[in-house]
Amino acid sequence: MRRRAAGRADGRPSTPALLLVAGAALLAGLPAAPAAAAPAPDGAPDGRPVQITVDRLEPRTVVPGSPIEVSGTLVNDSTETWSDLSVRVQRGDVLTTRDALVGELADPSEATTVTAPFLEVPGDLEPGRSLSFDYTTTADVLQLTADGVYPVLVNLNGTREDGGPERVGQLSTHVVVGPPLPTARTSVAWLWPITDRPHRDATGRFADDDLAGEVADGGRLDRVVRVVEQLPTVPGADPAETDPAVPVTLAVDPALLEELSLMAAGPYTVGDDDGTGTADAGELLDRLRAVAGEHPVVALPYADVDADALVATGQSAVVTRSLPGTAEGTAQQPADDGGALTPADPTAGSTDGAAGTGAGAAIVREVLGVAPRTDLAWAAGGALSGPTLDTLQAGGVDIVVLSDEGLSDGEQAVGAGGAPAAARSSQHAASGDVTTLVADSRLTGIVAEATPDSGVGRLTEQRYLAELGALSRQLAAREAGTQQTVLVAPPRAVDPDPAVVTAMMADTVSQPWLAAVPVDALTTGPEVATGDLVASTAVLPAEGMTEIAETSRVRDDFAAAVVGDPDTVLAGYDAAIARTGSAEWRGDDEGFAAAAADLRDTVAHLRAQVTLLSPVDGTYSLASSDAPLVLTVQNDLPFAVEVRLELRTRGNVGLTTDDIGVTTLQPSSRTPLQVPAHVRQSGGFAVSARLTTPGGGPLGEAVTMQVKSTAYGWITLGITFGAAALLALLFLRRAVRFVLKRRRGEPEDQSPLDAAVPPTRSPV
C-alpha cells in the first residue's frame, strides 16, 4: 500500500511526469502543513506551477555516511508569484530487483519513507522567472543503509499571495546505494551507430545538402563523434600514449563514408547549387579516423538496408549484395567528377582485394584506414525474421544483435525475474546456430531520451544508473563468481547530448560495481535461452517495396545481358537499390516513396541507353527478294551487352526474316545488324522492330517502319514465266500447222488483209 505525501494540501496522490521520473536524482517533497490550499495552476509538465530541473546530483553511487548534493533551477510557468519557497528531499523504500524498479517507474510512489528537512530558497519567484537552488543532506539523514535503488523526490513548497503553503513543484528520480567494495561487477558493452539516412539519389548525385548540417559544429553527427572523443583515457602500453578507458564498438555505414568522402573531396553539387559541407565533412572524417583507430569498428551493410523488408518481398539478393562479409557484397557507388553514377569496368574483377569480404569492408578500410569486423549484423529496430537470419548467415554473418523485444523470451537476457542479465544467446539458422547478442531495450530508450533539448540530462543519466544498479543488486544476491553482461545499443538515429551520453559511458569505469567491456567480449560471456524470433512491426511501406522488387527484377534481367562480371558493372545500380531500401527511411514514408520512384526512373534509363535507330524517312528499301534488312543499333553504355532483335510484320504476309540470335554490342558504339529477309511479293510492308535482353526484357523504344520491295517475288515470277511459256506454245502450234499444210499442198489461209475492201465513199 502506497502512502500519501505528508502535508499535501489537496490530499491527491502525486503523479510526477514519466520523463522526469525516468532520469532524476534526489527529488521530492511535501508541503510543511498545507491544510486546504487551492489546486495549483497549470504550468510545469506535471501540472504544478513551478518546473524543477536538476543540474547536479552527487555522488552517482551513494555509500553510508556520504554527503548528497542536489542543485538545479526553479522556473515559474504560472501567472502567480510564489514566496516563502523551501525545498527538501525524501525517499521511498529500497528496490532490490529490476522488476521492482520497473513497477515503481510505472506507478511512482510518494517516496515518503524517510524525509530530510526543508531548506529555504531565498527570494520570490515571479511569473516567467527562475531561481537556482542548492540542497545538501547525507546518506545517514535519509537512512540509506541497504544496498539497492531508492526512489527519491525533490519537493518544493511555496506560498501565493493571500494563500497558505502548498506544493508547487516536484521532481522524481532514483539514487543508487552500493557497497564500497563490491564483490561482483556488471559488465557493460556499448555498440555506437555512425549512420544517417541516404542523401544521394539513384544516380549518385546529392539530392539535398542536409548532411552538411549534420557534420557542422553542433550537428547530429558532430555530436555522435564527440561522445566518443570525450571518453576518459588510461595510460597505454607506451607511457607517452593513452588508450580509451571505455572500448566502444563503432557500427559504421559504408554508404555514409562514401557521401562524406565525396563531400570532403569537393566541390560537390546539390541540384544547380554548390554544396556547403566540404570543410566540415573533411574535418569530421579526420576525427572519425582518429576514433576508429582506437575503438573496434563493425561495418554495417551498405546503406544499412532494411534486411527484413527486402527478404519479405523476395529480395534476398539485394541484402547479400549489401553485406560487407562476403565477396558477393558488391554494392558501392562509382562516381565521376560530378558525383553521377558511372558503371564500373567489367574487367576490373572484384571490388575488394581481401578474399571473402565485400565492397563495404573495402570502403571502411579505404576511408578510415582500419579493417572492420564483417561477421556481425545489427538488426535495424532490433528484430528480424528467420528467413532474414538465413540470408545474413549465408552472407558471412556469425553474430547478430537483436533487442530483447525482438525475442519471445528476450526478458530473460535483461534480468527479468531477478535472474542475472546475460547478453548472449543463440538462434538456429539454416546452416547452424548463430550467436545472438541481446541489447537492453530499456537502456536503449534511456539513451534515446538524452537529447540536447530534453532539459533533464543529468536525470537521464541517473535513470541509466538506476537500471544498472537494480541489476547489480540482483547480482550481489547470487552465488559468488556469477557473471552479468549488458549490451547498450542506441537507436540508429541517436541524437545525443554529448555531456550526458559520454557520462553514461564513463560510468562503466568510474562506478566500482560496473565494468566496461568491448562487444566482442560478450560472445564468450554467460548465455541464456531467449525463445524464438519476433517479427518486426516497423518495416518500409509495401508500395515502395513493390517498386524496389520490380526494379530489382529489371536489374537481374539486364545483368544477364552484360558481357563480363555483371555485379562489378552494376555495382552502382546495386548501391542505388540498397540506398532506396535503407532502414533509415523507416518513419519517413514520403521520402521513401520519392526514393523508390527515382530508382525506378533511373533503372529505366539504363535500358533506354541501348536502342534501335530509326531510318531518316521511316522507310527501308529492298532491291531483291533475298536482300538483307540492315538495321543500326546504338549502345551508349560504357560496357558491352548482348541483345536480341525481334522483327514482326503485320499479318506476316509477303515478308519474312530470320532470327539472327544474340548479338554483342561493343561499348559506346553503333552496330549494323544484317537480318536475312525473304520477299514473296513486291510492295510495302509494316514492320515493328525492338531490342531485348537475352532474357526477353525490352531495351530502348520499339521502332515501326515501312519496308518496300521492287523485286519480284516467287509468285509474281511464276505468273510471268507461265504467261511467257503459254505464248511460246501458241506460237509453236501455229508454226507446226503451217508446215503441215504446205506438205499436204493445202492452200494457205487467205489473209484478211487480201480481201476486197469496199471503196471509201466521200461524205459529199
Side-chain angles (χ1 to χ4, degrees):
M1 178 175 172
R2 302 190 182 279
R3 292 175 289 179
R4 290 181 178 174
R8 171 91 180 228
D10 53 15
R12 293 180 287 111
S14 170
T15 308
L18 183 57
L19 179 60
L20 300 178
V21 171
L26 313 162
L27 324 140
L30 320 175
D42 291 341
D46 61 357
R48 298 188 182 278
V50 178
Q51 179 179 347
I52 304 174
T53 60
V54 169
D55 304 320
R56 175 178 170 80
L57 174 56
E58 295 294 341
R60 284 166 167 76
T61 300
V62 176
V63 295
S66 65
I68 300 174
E69 301 176 6
V70 184
S71 62
T73 305
L74 311 175
V75 179
N76 186 356
D77 290 332
S78 73
T79 58
E80 301 274 357
T81 296
W82 299 97
S83 58
D84 299 328
L85 297 169
S86 59
V87 65
R88 78 176 178 187
V89 171
Q90 56 199 62
R91 73 154 175 93
D93 295 330
V94 64
L95 308 172
T96 58
T97 67
R98 198 176 198 188
D99 288 347
L101 175 63
V102 171
E104 167 67 26
L105 291 169
D107 183 18
S109 70
E110 288 293 343
T112 57
T113 302
V114 177
T115 60
F118 277 103
L119 294 180
E120 180 183 355
V121 179
D124 294 339
L125 190 55
E126 298 177 353
R129 304 301 294 271
S130 63
L131 288 174
S132 60
F133 76 94
D134 294 285
Y135 188 94
T136 301
T137 185
T138 66
D140 293 341
V141 170
L142 288 173
Q143 301 177 29
L144 300 174
T145 55
D147 297 347
V149 178
Y150 291 81
V152 294
L153 186 75
V154 174
N155 181 355
L156 177 69
N157 278 359
T159 303
R160 75 179 81 199
E161 186 177 2
D162 300 327
E166 60 183 279
R167 182 183 298 184
V168 296
Q170 65 183 34
L171 184 62
S172 298
T173 188
H174 299 80
V175 295
V176 179
V177 176
L181 297 173
T183 57
R185 297 197 297 174
T186 298
S187 297
V188 182
W190 280 77
L191 184 59
W192 191 242
I194 311 291
T195 65
D196 204 61
R197 71 164 177 82
H199 294 274
R200 290 179 292 174
D201 63 19
T203 70
R205 295 184 176 90
F206 280 95
D208 59 65
D209 205 22
D210 294 348
L211 190 55
E214 299 285 278
V215 301
D217 185 24
R220 190 188 72 84
L221 286 175
D222 165 65
R223 288 181 279 111
V224 165
V225 176
R226 199 186 315 159
V227 166
V228 185
E229 291 175 322
Q230 294 178 350
L231 288 171
T233 59
V234 295
D238 184 340
E241 297 180 354
T242 60
D243 294 327
V246 183
V248 177
T249 300
L250 309 177
V252 183
D253 176 9
L256 174 61
L257 295 182
E258 277 187 345
E259 291 183 349
L260 292 174
S261 297
L262 190 60
M263 291 172 63
Y268 67 99
T269 58
V270 181
D272 296 328
D273 301 321
D274 291 335
T276 60
T278 294
D280 289 330
E283 181 180 349
L284 188 79
L285 278 177
D286 289 340
R287 295 164 57 196
L288 265 177
R289 294 183 187 104
V291 297
E294 298 178 334
H295 295 270
V297 176
V298 169
L300 293 172
Y302 185 92
D304 195 17
V305 296
D306 192 332
D308 247 5
L310 289 165
V311 171
T313 51
Q315 301 308 306
S316 298
V318 174
V319 176
T320 300
R321 287 193 288 266
S322 75
L323 295 177
T326 171
E328 295 176 297
T330 54
Q332 64 176 338
Q333 185 72 48
D336 61 17
D337 292 339
L341 186 151
T342 303
D345 180 357
T347 64
S350 173
T351 56
D352 184 23
T357 58
I363 292 169
V364 175
R365 284 199 301 273
E366 179 181 352
V367 177
L368 298 184
V370 297
R373 184 168 193 165
T374 61
D375 64 340
L376 184 150
W378 180 8
L384 50 76
S385 66
T388 303
L389 182 62
D390 293 341
T391 300
L392 295 174
Q393 184 186 54
V397 171
D398 298 323
I399 303 169
V400 293
V401 175
L402 303 176
S403 168
D404 58 273
E405 295 178 338
L407 296 158
S408 60
D409 294 328
E411 69 275 4
Q412 299 302 317
V414 294
R424 177 189 172 198
S425 183
S426 66
Q427 286 293 319
H428 184 69
S431 299
D433 289 346
V434 175
T435 298
T436 304
L437 301 182
V438 185
D440 191 308
S441 61
R442 296 183 66 83
L443 296 177
T444 294
I446 293 171
V447 179
E449 292 174 1
T451 61
D453 56 355
S454 68
V456 290
R458 178 62 185 87
L459 298 186
T460 305
E461 181 195 357
Q462 197 65 21
R463 163 73 186 284
Y464 164 81
L465 287 170
E467 296 278 354
L468 291 175
L471 287 173
S472 295
R473 179 62 180 79
Q474 291 179 182
L475 181 63
R478 293 278 164 172
E479 182 181 350
T482 302
Q483 292 181 290
Q484 181 163 252
T485 56
V486 174
L487 174 60
V488 185
R492 297 291 211 275
V494 63
D495 186 19
D497 181 333
V500 176
V501 179
T502 300
M504 291 182 185
M505 292 181 177
D507 286 336
T508 57
V509 291
S510 64
Q511 302 308 304
W513 41 278
L514 296 176
V517 298
V519 169
D520 183 56
L522 301 180
T523 61
T524 57
E527 183 174 3
V528 66
T530 52
D532 300 322
L533 297 171
V534 175
S536 174
T537 57
V539 293
L540 296 174
E543 184 176 353
M545 291 307 302
T546 300
E547 291 270 23
I548 292 177
E550 175 59 23
T551 301
S552 296
R553 187 191 66 78
V554 173
R555 178 266 178 211
D556 292 342
D557 175 73
F558 196 89
V562 172
V563 177
D565 178 10
D567 290 336
T568 300
V569 170
L570 300 178
Y573 293 92
D574 293 337
I577 295 173
R579 288 196 300 273
T580 305
S582 172
E584 304 289 341
W585 291 116
R586 290 183 179 183
D588 184 2
D589 293 356
E590 183 177 343
F592 174 60
D598 176 56
L599 176 67
R600 176 198 61 212
D601 295 342
T602 299
V603 175
H605 180 65
L606 174 66
R607 283 180 157 182
Q609 294 181 77
V610 182
T611 188
L612 280 168
L613 298 181
S614 300
V616 175
D617 60 357
T619 302
Y620 283 99
S621 295
L622 298 179
S624 67
S625 61
D626 292 319
L629 184 61
V630 181
L631 303 175
T632 302
V633 181
Q634 182 163 317
N635 177 19
D636 291 329
L637 294 170
F639 53 87
V641 292
E642 294 180 337
V643 301
R644 281 186 174 274
L645 176 64
E646 290 184 355
L647 289 174
R648 294 183 181 180
T649 57
R650 187 175 301 170
N652 202 29
V653 176
L655 175 67
T656 59
T657 58
D658 294 345
D659 183 2
I660 61 174
V662 174
T663 301
T664 299
L665 306 181
Q666 296 304 314
S668 304
S669 66
R670 287 189 178 187
T671 304
L673 301 182
Q674 293 193 10
V675 184
H678 309 285
V679 179
R680 295 192 296 271
Q681 64 188 50
S682 62
F685 309 95
V687 177
S688 174
R690 87 166 309 150
L691 290 176
T692 71
T693 65
L699 297 172
E701 296 291 334
V703 173
T704 301
M705 53 193 159
Q706 285 292 118
V707 177
K708 292 184 177 181
S709 175
T710 58
Y712 290 114
W714 65 268
I715 296 177
T716 304
L717 289 174
I719 294 173
T720 302
F721 288 129
L726 181 59
L727 287 173
L729 288 173
L730 290 173
F731 178 79
L732 179 61
R733 176 176 178 274
R734 185 177 181 85
V736 169
R737 292 182 63 187
F738 174 77
V739 171
L740 291 175
K741 284 184 177 182
R742 291 195 65 175
R743 287 181 177 178
R744 290 195 296 266
E746 295 180 3
E748 296 182 19
D749 294 336
Q750 186 178 13
S751 172
L753 296 177
D754 296 336
V757 179
T760 301
R761 300 182 64 181
S762 172
V764 180

